Amino acid sequence: MARKTLVIAESKEGQCRHVSFEAIAAAKQLADGGEVVAVLCGDQVEAFGPILGYYGADRVLIVENEQLKSYTPDGYKQALMQVISSEQPKAIVMGHTAMGKDLSAGLAARLDCGLVSDITDLEIGDKPLFIRPIYSGKAFEKKRINSEMLFVTLRPNNIAALEKDETREVTIEVFDVVVKDLRTIVKDIVKKTTTGVDLSEAKVIVSGGRGVKNAEGFKPLQELADVLGGAVGASRAACDAGYCDYSLQIGQTGKVVTPDLYIACGISGAIQHLAGMSNSKVIVAINKDPEANIFNIADYGIVGDLFEVVPRLTQHFKEVLQ
Ligand code: FAD
């Protein structure tokens, strides 16, 4: 059954977020032949219009407004409700990002529709099924939405984006909105970290635990991540010990990641850590304890001292990737 599907796209630091392209791919399936419309809100985001088209959107709506420069729940909700009431989509897809988590719940409440958050896959039919991990990734549930409008948020790095095709024709429209009486106004954003790959969207993550011993011990991990074009993550024990910033924490109370490659260095594999990374496509564990629990979920295990193994891996990848 063809259904018009709206993708709420996101941009961050001068780039379109990759999860928005993945959302377009999911929307294509959900639309089942219907139109896929991407909407992007912000200030000076017009340049991203064609890119969303290259990744599969049939039509792109650019919502430019100074009041939408930074994300605020009430500003974005006001703008998007105007888009939704004009477009009348049958389904909405967006990334399960910080913004997606916040915005989807508020919009779904206003639209009085069912919402399935954090999906990793979908099965298409007259009544589509949405698949999402539960119990910290130990099981998956299939959910059906019992309302006319379908709304889902998509976990990054699970559904592959379509091949970028710069010859695709796309219609780009400017959509004017009225945004008023904002209860929250973002005056300034002070960034904690300014460089590096975004952990939640990284294809490769090199993660360190208590075995890394101190902040200095993270340097070889950063070098390996740099060679592989990836990001550095950490266990909570490493963050608690002050070896690195809490923004790097992966796990039940940290970030949930699904990279193509996760290299766990000096991490024992506590259940709370596994909750954040066990759905990674390939897991490599480096630990000097052959009985460490992390080896139970690793695809490849290296028993050894991370301070010997990691620099050797870095050297090897430098040679083969040159
Ligand atoms: P450890 O368990 O101490 O393991 C260190 C490992 O390093 C060991 O296996 C050791 O053999 C190995 N090692 C030591 N030296 C070397 C070396 N030179 N070379 C190679 N290997 C070496 N944890 C998280 O990670 N994320 C969370 O979100 C999280 N949330 C939690 C929520 C709650 C409510 C609770 C109670 C706990 C949570 N935890 C979380 C903590 C979790 O239970 C573990 O304590 C933590 O994951 C352990 O971190 P670790 O593996 O780095 O340290």
Side-chain angles (χ1 to χ4, degrees), residues 285-306:
I286 305 166
N287 198 303
K288 62 182 185 185
D289 174 9
E291 302 296 324
N293 190 46
I294 191 81
F295 288 126
N296 291 326
I297 60 145
D299 299 285
Y300 299 94
I302 302 173
V303 178
D305 185 334
L306 71 93

Side-chain angles (χ1 to χ4, degrees), residues 196-197 206 219-232 314 321:
V197 180
V206 182
K219 281 194 178 153
L221 275 61
Q222 184 67 61
E223 279 164 24
L224 178 56
D226 289 346
V227 170
L228 296 172
V232 168
T314 308
L321 295 174

